Amino acid sequence: MSIKFAASASAIALTAAIASPAFAGPTYENDTGGSFTWYGQFDPSFQSYDDGTETYNRLVDNSGSNSRIGFRLKQAYGENTLQFKFETAFGLRSSSGVSQTSTGDTLSWDRTNIRHVDLQFDTARFGRFSAGQGSMASDGIAGSDRSGTGVVAGVAVADPAGGYAFRTSTGTLSSIDVGDVFSDYDGGRLGRVRYDSINLNGFTVSASYGTDILKTNNDRETYDVAVRYGNANLGDFAFEAALGAAWTEETGKADTRDIVGSAAIEHKPTGVSLAVAAGERDIAGSYGYAKLGYTTNWTSLGSTSFSVDYYDGSDMASTGDSATSWGIAAVQKIDNYNVEAYLAYRDYSYEDTTSTSYNDSSVIMAGARWKF
């Protein structure tokens, strides 16, 4: 697909978002410190995947930041706050859920699309206590990023095309999907109990225990810990970093231990940023990731951001294999409508120790995320 056509597709998605009613999720308050707020986002995208032989064009939901809706209930109790959060994805066809042989269902919702059913108790002195379906302590630990292009480009490089298979040099589809060999080992969402400490000079410490309550016949158990640091006022710089470890046990599968870390720094006067991440699974593979970003204010619409990134992984699907990816992305914010229009290109390469040769593949994503 040509860049011109991709830009046209992005313009269509952008027009649809802007043409939608510009309603922001309202907040309703009572006279005792309680509130109700609903929110959501819509993130349609045009995906064009080239496996070196054929090109596949699809309308999808951006897996990197899928369409969703939710609400929050808050009630203050003195200096403490009790909060309930519900959030679900719409179940639209995802960019990582299509392939050469399957277009997937346009809409297919089931309970695994539920993201949060989460009760939280925030205390001023002792931190936050959480219970229910929600983020584990290590969720987001690989994603430190100040580039402004995270909606379509980040360490989860498989999100734009994870379901597609690599095609061999003979023209046949292999059994290796993009998602098999590009992982960030980032923590996810489970039914869990979680604790987050109060902010200690920019540092927070988290720990959780969770199990997969949304899937049937599943006894997965995960324990994890994480530490985060953030400071946006280091003179001309803003900095954030995270480090976490997770242990997972499940009947019939080998136990795993993941260690992941990331960091990002931004020079605020120039808008230049750098992000790095690395991760390792003790029984599988490891990777390194780097991203260079630049944000400027060229128009009155909002900030314009660009990035280029590179991912290098090994031993993900088999011992001795190698997977690399590089990408470029541009994101234009339209502040008055809470819209981010984007256009991105990503290239994938894979090789293993067998005699099979795999074609390089690529994907173009063009779309817009509208938050309400």
Side-chain angles (χ1 to χ4, degrees):
M1 183 180 72
S2 68
I3 295 297
K4 181 179 180 181
F5 187 65
S8 299
S10 184
I12 292 170
L14 173 59
T15 301
I18 292 178
S20 302
F23 57 94
T27 296
Y28 303 94
E29 298 181 348
N30 62 27
D31 56 5
T32 61
S35 66
F36 169 87
T37 304
W38 66 272
Y39 64 91
Q41 65 180 46
F42 184 50
D43 195 0
S45 188
F46 189 92
Q47 174 202 67
S48 182
Y49 181 80
D50 183 349
D51 64 13
T53 300
E54 300 286 343
T55 299
Y56 302 84
N57 299 323
R58 307 272 166 75
L59 292 174
V60 295
D61 196 44
N62 180 1
S63 293
S65 183
N66 62 10
S67 299
R68 64 192 72 158
I69 194 166
F71 66 85
R72 297 184 184 90
L73 288 168
K74 290 184 179 181
Q75 179 63 55
Y77 293 95
E79 62 181 2
N80 307 317
T81 302
L82 184 66
Q83 175 176 278
F84 175 77
K85 177 180 179 180
F86 175 84
E87 181 180 297
T88 179
F90 289 124
L92 301 174
R93 177 171 52 211
S94 68
S95 58
S96 61
V98 295
S99 67
Q100 289 97 332
T101 59
S102 174
T103 60
D105 294 329
T106 302
L107 177 64
S108 179
W109 188 94
D110 61 35
R111 66 183 185 180
T112 62
N113 291 113
I114 296 173
R115 296 168 56 86
H116 295 275
V117 184
D118 192 12
L119 188 66
Q120 300 176 347
F121 187 53
D122 283 298
T123 69
R125 302 181 183 183
F126 303 107
R128 172 183 291 177
F129 301 85
S130 306
Q133 172 70 19
S135 293
M136 295 289 288
S138 57
D139 189 18
I141 211 75
S144 299
D145 188 353
R146 299 191 65 87
S147 68
T149 64
V151 61
V152 71
V155 65
V157 298
D159 280 347
Y164 287 95
F166 283 97
R167 194 177 291 273
T168 71
S169 58
T170 62
T172 60
L173 293 177
S174 74
S175 61
I176 305 296
D177 294 342
V178 170
D180 294 335
V181 295
F182 291 97
S183 178
D184 56 10
Y185 301 139
D186 197 81
R189 293 177 299 276
L190 295 172
R192 88 291 186 241
V193 290
R194 172 173 168 172
Y195 170 73
D196 298 271
S197 73
I198 60 174
N199 189 305
L200 303 169
N201 295 319
F203 288 92
T204 57
V205 178
S206 307
S208 63
Y209 161 77
T211 185
D212 199 336
I213 60 175
L214 299 181
K215 295 181 180 179
T216 58
N217 301 318
N218 185 286
D219 64 352
R220 172 185 172 184
E221 294 182 317
T222 296
Y223 314 77
D224 63 355
V225 293
V227 58
R228 293 172 171 85
Y229 175 78
N231 192 334
N233 298 296
L234 293 172
D236 288 341
F237 294 90
F239 179 76
E240 60 185 69
L243 179 66
W247 295 261
T248 298
E249 302 172 359
E250 185 174 351
T251 301
K253 296 183 179 181
D255 296 350
T256 63
R257 184 195 64 183
D258 301 333
I259 299 177
V260 181
S262 64
I265 189 168
E266 177 190 5
H267 185 241
K268 293 184 288 185
T270 62
V272 175
S273 65
L274 176 66
V276 294
E280 181 180 41
R281 175 166 290 174
D282 58 346
I283 64 168
S286 60
Y287 73 90
Y289 173 83
K291 181 180 189 182
L292 181 65
Y294 172 64
T295 298
T296 187
N297 291 294
W298 281 345
T299 76
S300 59
L301 293 174
S303 61
T304 306
S305 300
F306 304 93
S307 69
V308 57
D309 63 9
Y310 182 77
Y311 175 107
D312 188 351
S314 60
D315 304 322
M316 295 279 184
S318 61
T319 301
D321 70 5
S322 175
T324 59
S325 177
W326 63 270
I328 55 176
V331 176
Q332 175 63 56
K333 287 189 175 182
I334 304 173
D335 293 335
N336 287 344
Y337 293 93
N338 293 326
V339 167
E340 297 161 275
Y342 53 81
L343 178 63
Y345 172 88
R346 180 162 298 283
D347 181 88
Y348 301 104
S349 299
Y350 176 72
E351 61 182 31
D352 57 22
T353 57
T354 70
S355 58
T356 303
S357 178
Y358 302 89
N359 292 340
D360 290 353
S361 60
S362 63
V363 63
I364 293 174
M365 293 283 286
R369 178 174 67 179
W370 169 52
K371 289 187 175 182
F372 55 87

mmCIF file with all atom_site columns, all heavy atoms in Angstrom, residues 15-30:
data_model
loop_
_atom_site.group_PDB
_atom_site.id
_atom_site.type_symbol
_atom_site.label_atom_id
_atom_site.label_alt_id
_atom_site.label_comp_id
_atom_site.label_asym_id
_atom_site.label_entity_id
_atom_site.label_seq_id
_atom_site.pdbx_PDB_ins_code
_atom_site.Cartn_x
_atom_site.Cartn_y
_atom_site.Cartn_z
_atom_site.occupancy
_atom_site.B_iso_or_equiv
_atom_site.pdbx_formal_charge
_atom_site.auth_seq_id
_atom_site.auth_comp_id
_atom_site.auth_asym_id
_atom_site.auth_atom_id
_atom_site.pdbx_PDB_model_num
ATOM 1   N N   . THR A 1 15 ? -11.418 12.034 10.268 1.00 0.00 ? 15 THR A N   1
ATOM 2   C CA  . THR A 1 15 ? -12.679 12.726 9.997  1.00 0.00 ? 15 THR A CA  1
ATOM 3   C C   . THR A 1 15 ? -13.827 12.091 10.770 1.00 0.00 ? 15 THR A C   1
ATOM 4   O O   . THR A 1 15 ? -14.682 12.779 11.338 1.00 0.00 ? 15 THR A O   1
ATOM 5   C CB  . THR A 1 15 ? -12.992 12.702 8.486  1.00 0.00 ? 15 THR A CB  1
ATOM 6   O OG1 . THR A 1 15 ? -11.924 13.339 7.782  1.00 0.00 ? 15 THR A OG1 1
ATOM 7   C CG2 . THR A 1 15 ? -14.293 13.416 8.189  1.00 0.00 ? 15 THR A CG2 1
ATOM 8   N N   . ALA A 1 16 ? -13.827 10.753 10.811 1.00 0.00 ? 16 ALA A N   1
ATOM 9   C CA  . ALA A 1 16 ? -14.882 10.056 11.550 1.00 0.00 ? 16 ALA A CA  1
ATOM 10  C C   . ALA A 1 16 ? -14.840 10.398 13.029 1.00 0.00 ? 16 ALA A C   1
ATOM 11  O O   . ALA A 1 16 ? -15.876 10.588 13.676 1.00 0.00 ? 16 ALA A O   1
ATOM 12  C CB  . ALA A 1 16 ? -14.745 8.547  11.359 1.00 0.00 ? 16 ALA A CB  1
ATOM 13  N N   . ALA A 1 17 ? -13.627 10.499 13.569 1.00 0.00 ? 17 ALA A N   1
ATOM 14  C CA  . ALA A 1 17 ? -13.495 10.813 14.997 1.00 0.00 ? 17 ALA A CA  1
ATOM 15  C C   . ALA A 1 17 ? -13.956 12.236 15.282 1.00 0.00 ? 17 ALA A C   1
ATOM 16  O O   . ALA A 1 17 ? -14.676 12.501 16.243 1.00 0.00 ? 17 ALA A O   1
ATOM 17  C CB  . ALA A 1 17 ? -12.050 10.623 15.448 1.00 0.00 ? 17 ALA A CB  1
ATOM 18  N N   . ILE A 1 18 ? -13.528 13.190 14.426 1.00 0.00 ? 18 ILE A N   1
ATOM 19  C CA  . ILE A 1 18 ? -13.884 14.584 14.649 1.00 0.00 ? 18 ILE A CA  1
ATOM 20  C C   . ILE A 1 18 ? -15.376 14.800 14.448 1.00 0.00 ? 18 ILE A C   1
ATOM 21  O O   . ILE A 1 18 ? -16.015 15.600 15.125 1.00 0.00 ? 18 ILE A O   1
ATOM 22  C CB  . ILE A 1 18 ? -13.066 15.505 13.714 1.00 0.00 ? 18 ILE A CB  1
ATOM 23  C CG1 . ILE A 1 18 ? -11.594 15.473 14.144 1.00 0.00 ? 18 ILE A CG1 1
ATOM 24  C CG2 . ILE A 1 18 ? -13.589 16.922 13.740 1.00 0.00 ? 18 ILE A CG2 1
ATOM 25  C CD1 . ILE A 1 18 ? -10.693 16.305 13.275 1.00 0.00 ? 18 ILE A CD1 1
ATOM 26  N N   . ALA A 1 19 ? -15.952 14.059 13.495 1.00 0.00 ? 19 ALA A N   1
ATOM 27  C CA  . ALA A 1 19 ? -17.376 14.212 13.219 1.00 0.00 ? 19 ALA A CA  1
ATOM 28  C C   . ALA A 1 19 ? -18.240 13.648 14.331 1.00 0.00 ? 19 ALA A C   1
ATOM 29  O O   . ALA A 1 19 ? -19.416 13.971 14.446 1.00 0.00 ? 19 ALA A O   1
ATOM 30  C CB  . ALA A 1 19 ? -17.729 13.526 11.907 1.00 0.00 ? 19 ALA A CB  1
ATOM 31  N N   . SER A 1 20 ? -17.659 12.801 15.185 1.00 0.00 ? 20 SER A N   1
ATOM 32  C CA  . SER A 1 20 ? -18.409 12.241 16.299 1.00 0.00 ? 20 SER A CA  1
ATOM 33  C C   . SER A 1 20 ? -18.739 13.340 17.300 1.00 0.00 ? 20 SER A C   1
ATOM 34  O O   . SER A 1 20 ? -18.035 14.339 17.400 1.00 0.00 ? 20 SER A O   1
ATOM 35  C CB  . SER A 1 20 ? -17.578 11.149 16.995 1.00 0.00 ? 20 SER A CB  1
ATOM 36  O OG  . SER A 1 20 ? -17.236 10.130 16.089 1.00 0.00 ? 20 SER A OG  1
ATOM 37  N N   . PRO A 1 21 ? -19.796 13.189 18.076 1.00 0.00 ? 21 PRO A N   1
ATOM 38  C CA  . PRO A 1 21 ? -20.138 14.201 19.069 1.00 0.00 ? 21 PRO A CA  1
ATOM 39  C C   . PRO A 1 21 ? -18.980 14.430 20.020 1.00 0.00 ? 21 PRO A C   1
ATOM 40  O O   . PRO A 1 21 ? -18.388 13.493 20.550 1.00 0.00 ? 21 PRO A O   1
ATOM 41  C CB  . PRO A 1 21 ? -21.350 13.584 19.803 1.00 0.00 ? 21 PRO A CB  1
ATOM 42  C CG  . PRO A 1 21 ? -21.911 12.590 18.844 1.00 0.00 ? 21 PRO A CG  1
ATOM 43  C CD  . PRO A 1 21 ? -20.737 12.060 18.068 1.00 0.00 ? 21 PRO A CD  1
ATOM 44  N N   . ALA A 1 22 ? -18.668 15.677 20.266 1.00 0.00 ? 22 ALA A N   1
ATOM 45  C CA  . ALA A 1 22 ? -17.520 16.017 21.117 1.00 0.00 ? 22 ALA A CA  1
ATOM 46  C C   . ALA A 1 22 ? -17.947 16.025 22.575 1.00 0.00 ? 22 ALA A C   1
ATOM 47  O O   . ALA A 1 22 ? -17.869 17.035 23.267 1.00 0.00 ? 22 ALA A O   1
ATOM 48  C CB  . ALA A 1 22 ? -16.948 17.376 20.710 1.00 0.00 ? 22 ALA A CB  1
ATOM 49  N N   . PHE A 1 23 ? -18.447 14.874 23.078 1.00 0.00 ? 23 PHE A N   1
ATOM 50  C CA  . PHE A 1 23 ? -18.878 14.812 24.467 1.00 0.00 ? 23 PHE A CA  1
ATOM 51  C C   . PHE A 1 23 ? -17.790 14.192 25.305 1.00 0.00 ? 23 PHE A C   1
ATOM 52  O O   . PHE A 1 23 ? -17.259 13.148 24.968 1.00 0.00 ? 23 PHE A O   1
ATOM 53  C CB  . PHE A 1 23 ? -20.199 14.036 24.603 1.00 0.00 ? 23 PHE A CB  1
ATOM 54  C CG  . PHE A 1 23 ? -20.165 12.640 24.071 1.00 0.00 ? 23 PHE A CG  1
ATOM 55  C CD1 . PHE A 1 23 ? -19.891 11.560 24.897 1.00 0.00 ? 23 PHE A CD1 1
ATOM 56  C CD2 . PHE A 1 23 ? -20.424 12.391 22.732 1.00 0.00 ? 23 PHE A CD2 1
ATOM 57  C CE1 . PHE A 1 23 ? -19.873 10.269 24.405 1.00 0.00 ? 23 PHE A CE1 1
ATOM 58  C CE2 . PHE A 1 23 ? -20.394 11.092 22.231 1.00 0.00 ? 23 PHE A CE2 1
ATOM 59  C CZ  . PHE A 1 23 ? -20.126 10.036 23.070 1.00 0.00 ? 23 PHE A CZ  1
ATOM 60  N N   . ALA A 1 24 ? -17.422 14.889 26.345 1.00 0.00 ? 24 ALA A N   1
ATOM 61  C CA  . ALA A 1 24 ? -16.447 14.352 27.283 1.00 0.00 ? 24 ALA A CA  1
ATOM 62  C C   . ALA A 1 24 ? -17.213 13.657 28.398 1.00 0.00 ? 24 ALA A C   1
ATOM 63  O O   . ALA A 1 24 ? -18.324 14.057 28.751 1.00 0.00 ? 24 ALA A O   1
ATOM 64  C CB  . ALA A 1 24 ? -15.578 15.475 27.844 1.00 0.00 ? 24 ALA A CB  1
ATOM 65  N N   . GLY A 1 25 ? -16.639 12.621 28.936 1.00 0.00 ? 25 GLY A N   1
ATOM 66  C CA  . GLY A 1 25 ? -17.302 11.900 30.013 1.00 0.00 ? 25 GLY A CA  1
ATOM 67  C C   . GLY A 1 25 ? -17.570 12.819 31.192 1.00 0.00 ? 25 GLY A C   1
ATOM 68  O O   . GLY A 1 25 ? -16.631 13.364 31.773 1.00 0.00 ? 25 GLY A O   1
ATOM 69  N N   . PRO A 1 26 ? -18.839 13.030 31.573 1.00 0.00 ? 26 PRO A N   1
ATOM 70  C CA  . PRO A 1 26 ? -19.153 13.958 32.655 1.00 0.00 ? 26 PRO A CA  1
ATOM 71  C C   . PRO A 1 26 ? -18.846 13.355 34.010 1.00 0.00 ? 26 PRO A C   1
ATOM 72  O O   . PRO A 1 26 ? -18.780 12.137 34.170 1.00 0.00 ? 26 PRO A O   1
ATOM 73  C CB  . PRO A 1 26 ? -20.661 14.185 32.481 1.00 0.00 ? 26 PRO A CB  1
ATOM 74  C CG  . PRO A 1 26 ? -21.151 12.904 31.877 1.00 0.00 ? 26 PRO A CG  1
ATOM 75  C CD  . PRO A 1 26 ? -20.038 12.438 30.973 1.00 0.00 ? 26 PRO A CD  1
ATOM 76  N N   . THR A 1 27 ? -18.662 14.210 34.984 1.00 0.00 ? 27 THR A N   1
ATOM 77  C CA  . THR A 1 27 ? -18.472 13.796 36.363 1.00 0.00 ? 27 THR A CA  1
ATOM 78  C C   . THR A 1 27 ? -19.643 14.307 37.192 1.00 0.00 ? 27 THR A C   1
ATOM 79  O O   . THR A 1 27 ? -19.977 15.496 37.140 1.00 0.00 ? 27 THR A O   1
ATOM 80  C CB  . THR A 1 27 ? -17.165 14.343 36.942 1.00 0.00 ? 27 THR A CB  1
ATOM 81  O OG1 . THR A 1 27 ? -16.054 13.781 36.225 1.00 0.00 ? 27 THR A OG1 1
ATOM 82  C CG2 . THR A 1 27 ? -17.022 14.008 38.420 1.00 0.00 ? 27 THR A CG2 1
ATOM 83  N N   . TYR A 1 28 ? -20.288 13.422 37.919 1.00 0.00 ? 28 TYR A N   1
ATOM 84  C CA  . TYR A 1 28 ? -21.399 13.780 38.795 1.00 0.00 ? 28 TYR A CA  1
ATOM 85  C C   . TYR A 1 28 ? -20.913 13.655 40.237 1.00 0.00 ? 28 TYR A C   1
ATOM 86  O O   . TYR A 1 28 ? -20.327 12.640 40.613 1.00 0.00 ? 28 TYR A O   1
ATOM 87  C CB  . TYR A 1 28 ? -22.588 12.857 38.547 1.00 0.00 ? 28 TYR A CB  1
ATOM 88  C CG  . TYR A 1 28 ? -23.063 12.860 37.116 1.00 0.00 ? 28 TYR A CG  1
ATOM 89  C CD1 . TYR A 1 28 ? -22.593 11.894 36.221 1.00 0.00 ? 28 TYR A CD1 1
ATOM 90  C CD2 . TYR A 1 28 ? -23.946 13.820 36.652 1.00 0.00 ? 28 TYR A CD2 1
ATOM 91  C CE1 . TYR A 1 28 ? -23.022 11.890 34.898 1.00 0.00 ? 28 TYR A CE1 1
ATOM 92  C CE2 . TYR A 1 28 ? -24.388 13.831 35.333 1.00 0.00 ? 28 TYR A CE2 1
ATOM 93  C CZ  . TYR A 1 28 ? -23.919 12.862 34.465 1.00 0.00 ? 28 TYR A CZ  1
ATOM 94  O OH  . TYR A 1 28 ? -24.329 12.868 33.156 1.00 0.00 ? 28 TYR A OH  1
ATOM 95  N N   . GLU A 1 29 ? -21.179 14.674 41.046 1.00 0.00 ? 29 GLU A N   1
ATOM 96  C CA  . GLU A 1 29 ? -20.677 14.707 42.414 1.00 0.00 ? 29 GLU A CA  1
ATOM 97  C C   . GLU A 1 29 ? -21.829 14.812 43.402 1.00 0.00 ? 29 GLU A C   1
ATOM 98  O O   . GLU A 1 29 ? -22.868 15.417 43.112 1.00 0.00 ? 29 GLU A O   1
ATOM 99  C CB  . GLU A 1 29 ? -19.724 15.886 42.593 1.00 0.00 ? 29 GLU A CB  1
ATOM 100 C CG  . GLU A 1 29 ? -18.482 15.817 41.713 1.00 0.00 ? 29 GLU A CG  1
ATOM 101 C CD  . GLU A 1 29 ? -17.543 16.992 41.924 1.00 0.00 ? 29 GLU A CD  1
ATOM 102 O OE1 . GLU A 1 29 ? -17.983 17.965 42.582 1.00 0.00 ? 29 GLU A OE1 1
ATOM 103 O OE2 . GLU A 1 29 ? -16.400 16.930 41.450 1.00 0.00 ? 29 GLU A OE2 1
ATOM 104 N N   . ASN A 1 30 ? -21.625 14.211 44.584 1.00 0.00 ? 30 ASN A N   1
ATOM 105 C CA  . ASN A 1 30 ? -22.583 14.385 45.669 1.00 0.00 ? 30 ASN A CA  1
ATOM 106 C C   . ASN A 1 30 ? -22.008 15.332 46.712 1.00 0.00 ? 30 ASN A C   1
ATOM 107 O O   . ASN A 1 30 ? -20.896 15.843 46.555 1.00 0.00 ? 30 ASN A O   1
ATOM 108 C CB  . ASN A 1 30 ? -22.972 13.031 46.276 1.00 0.00 ? 30 ASN A CB  1
ATOM 109 C CG  . ASN A 1 30 ? -21.783 12.296 46.889 1.00 0.00 ? 30 ASN A CG  1
ATOM 110 O OD1 . ASN A 1 30 ? -20.800 12.895 47.327 1.00 0.00 ? 30 ASN A OD1 1
ATOM 111 N ND2 . ASN A 1 30 ? -21.876 10.956 46.930 1.00 0.00 ? 30 ASN A ND2 1
#
